[in-house]
Amino acid sequence: MRPWRVGVMAGAALMVPLIGFAGYTVRRGRSAPRVGADVVVVLGCRLRGNRVAPMLARRLDRAVEVVRRERGRGGAPLVVVSGGQAGRETVAEAAAMADYLVAHGVSADAIVMEDRSRNTEENLRFTARELRRRGIDPEAARITVVTSDFHVLRTKSLAHGLGLRAQVTGARTARLLSRRSFFREFAAVLVMRHRIVA
């Protein structure tokens, strides 16, 4: 087979999942979650020193919307902020996230900090551990996970792999960050699926 045909076929094989991923991100990643959550989990991402950066602020604003919606219907969800300390960060992501939520009207008594995780799988695994410590079965609890829109698909796959009854909702990503974040996450999804198949 001629090299150019191999290139065309490889490109087509990559475009199909890319288009599917893009459609999922835009359509499902930003959709409003079903109400009735016992727990709202917010996944961390990089800080600016000890301050919440714009991408994380969008996740937290989305979480505030979810919590207010639940409370408006009589719910009182526990809110878990999940993220450790890495790189040049001067505090754990969870600590900065908790401060942000309190400043935006979420009661400190409703917030649990998971401050050891370094990646998405650890976010979910360590959150489940924190819930068990509080007498909550993470596999039975109704959980809403909040992250960025481009990150929803992989988060949902990881949560289900851990046995969590989680729905995942995404905050819109700023235009300046969306292209880079989108393609990086698409590559991560391909790697994850390759490992599952292998």
Side-chain angles (χ1 to χ4, degrees):
M1 186 178 291
R2 294 182 179 179
W4 68 268
R5 288 185 177 176
V6 174
V8 169
M9 291 174 64
L14 190 62
M15 283 301 295
V16 172
L18 178 61
I19 292 169
F21 179 72
Y24 187 96
T25 297
V26 172
R27 191 175 65 255
R28 297 287 303 280
R30 300 171 185 170
S31 61
R34 299 182 305 277
V35 294
D38 303 309
V39 181
V40 176
V41 180
V42 193
L43 303 188
C45 63
R46 187 162 296 177
L47 304 176
R48 287 182 177 171
N50 65 347
R51 298 174 58 189
V52 167
M55 183 180 291
L56 183 52
R58 286 173 181 258
R59 294 184 186 186
L60 293 163
D61 290 341
R62 180 71 159 153
V64 170
E65 291 174 10
V66 172
V67 170
R68 286 178 178 164
R69 190 165 168 235
E70 293 289 350
R71 289 182 175 167
R73 292 175 171 259
L78 187 69
V79 181
V80 181
V81 287
S82 179
Q85 183 175 343
R88 298 181 181 178
E89 295 172 347
T90 58
V91 298
E93 293 166 7
M97 294 162 73
D99 289 344
Y100 186 99
L101 290 178
V102 170
H104 287 76
V106 178
S107 170
D109 293 337
I111 299 173
V112 172
M113 288 192 292
E114 182 291 294
D115 59 4
R116 293 178 54 241
S117 56
R118 298 295 182 91
N119 57 50
T120 306
E121 184 174 0
E122 288 186 356
N123 286 144
L124 299 170
R125 190 182 300 279
F126 295 167
T127 291
R129 187 181 302 170
E130 290 293 333
L131 294 178
R132 289 190 186 98
R133 287 177 181 170
R134 287 161 175 76
I136 300 171
D137 181 355
E139 295 183 8
R142 295 169 298 179
I143 300 172
T144 296
V145 181
V146 181
T147 185
S148 299
D149 50 11
F150 64 84
H151 193 223
V152 166
L153 179 60
R154 187 160 60 99
T155 301
K156 187 172 184 178
S157 297
L158 289 168
H160 289 183
L162 292 170
L164 305 179
R165 286 179 58 195
Q167 59 177 334
V168 185
T169 187
R172 186 181 296 271
T173 305
R175 185 174 297 177
L176 288 174
L177 300 171
S178 60
R179 185 177 300 176
R180 181 179 60 190
S181 300
F182 177 88
F183 284 109
R184 184 175 58 199
E185 184 66 15
F186 176 66
V189 168
L190 290 182
V191 169
M192 184 180 71
R193 291 196 168 179
H194 175 73
R195 287 175 179 169
I196 293 172
V197 171

